[in-house]
Amino acid sequence: MIAELKNHSIALHYLSVLRDERTDISDFRKATIVLTQALVLEASRQLELSAESIKTPLEKIEGQKIKGKLVFVPILRAGLGMLDAALDILPNAAVGYIGLERDEQTAIAHCYYSKMPNLSDVQKVFLLDPMLATGGSASQSIVKLKELGAKNVSMVSIVAAPEGLQHLQELHPDVDIFTASIDRELDVNRYILPGLGDFGDRLFGTN
Ligand code: PRP
Ligand code: URA
């Protein structure tokens, strides 16, 4: 399943902030936070709940709390910009890290770091990466998460290319994808068009 934050004024506003080449680093970070929170709320819509008896100041009711464990996995580097925003929504989640970097010529990502909590007894793993371009980084990460026992993975990405979405759906049809925008296409260097350029560079001030 692919879910896009369509026709939402806040999402459209902050996406334009991210895309605008004049946006400075602090506004870029702020827009990343807002869009991540909107996406994590969407991606959490179907989480399993368990009934819990609670007492309001006035009476006892049957409340509902999120069941079991959750894990966020940001793909380094750019996914780090989404992590704190995601933890603001679900502060009890554990965090795993996976470091991947695309080769500039081939766009094939290589893994340079990985550290994961136990994934076998987790209700859901949210994979965080703002850019889904060819889908290579996401699909490599999902293979690793599944090898480590993850049974329910959702991909949370701010901008996605149709090529990457198709690639991910072919390889991992069980993974739901949440994105703020499905953009037009990849360019010859496998950058997303219209996109927003290199997310990691804009988030961290490198180039
Ligand atoms: C970018 C981006 C994704 C990846 C997407 O990372 O943050 O991880 O490219 O491309 P793909 O779908 O074609 O794999 P990059 O390799 O530039 O590393 P960085 O986050 O450290 O800047
Ligand atoms: N990674 C980015 O940061 N931007 C793109 O457009 C593609 C991959």
Side-chain angles (χ1 to χ4, degrees), residues 47-191:
L47 285 179
E48 264 186 81
L49 300 167
S50 52
E52 189 176 302
S53 183
I54 57 171
K55 215 166 141 291
T56 78
L58 301 176
E59 61 180 16
K60 261 184 146 179
I61 57 163
E62 191 81 340
Q64 296 179 84
K65 296 277 178 74
I66 289 168
K67 198 172 165 179
K69 299 182 197 163
L70 302 171
V71 176
F72 289 120
V73 178
I75 301 181
L76 310 182
R77 275 179 313 169
L80 281 179
M82 303 172 76
L83 178 62
D84 284 349
L87 285 171
D88 277 347
I89 308 256
L90 292 164
N92 290 331
V95 178
Y97 293 90
I98 182 158
L100 287 170
E101 189 169 19
R102 291 200 323 175
D103 180 283
E104 287 193 2
Q105 307 305 323
T106 63
I108 295 170
H110 87 277
C111 182
Y112 58 86
Y113 183 74
S114 168
K115 185 97 176 174
M116 292 292 159
N118 184 359
L119 298 178
S120 54
D121 59 348
V122 164
Q123 180 187 168
K124 187 180 281 290
V125 178
F126 297 90
L127 185 60
L128 308 176
D129 191 333
M131 304 306 276
L132 181 64
T134 65
S137 303
S139 68
Q140 256 194 68
S141 304
I142 293 165
V143 167
K144 196 173 270 286
L145 296 174
K146 288 180 175 173
E147 279 169 7
L148 293 171
K151 291 172 194 72
N152 188 345
V153 180
S154 286
M155 176 76 209
V156 181
S157 140
I158 294 176
V159 176
E163 294 90 331
L165 289 169
Q166 191 185 340
H167 179 73
L168 214 54
Q169 285 218 302
E170 276 167 17
L171 293 183
H172 302 286
D174 55 309
V175 171
D176 289 337
I177 306 167
F178 296 86
T179 184
S181 176
I182 301 174
D183 274 14
R184 194 177 70 246
E185 61 184 343
L186 295 179
D187 72 5
V188 286
N189 298 313
R190 279 81 138 207
Y191 271 75

Side-chain angles (χ1 to χ4, degrees), residues 13-35 81 158 196 199 202-203:
H13 171 84
Y14 282 105
L15 267 170
S16 295
V17 172
L18 284 184
R19 292 189 197 281
D20 190 333
E21 64 175 5
R22 297 168 303 177
T23 297
D24 67 16
I25 199 163
S26 70
D27 287 342
F28 193 88
R29 288 175 177 159
K30 172 73 186 162
T32 300
I33 289 167
V34 177
L35 288 167
I158 294 176
L196 50 80
F199 198 100
R202 297 191 66 191
L203 182 72

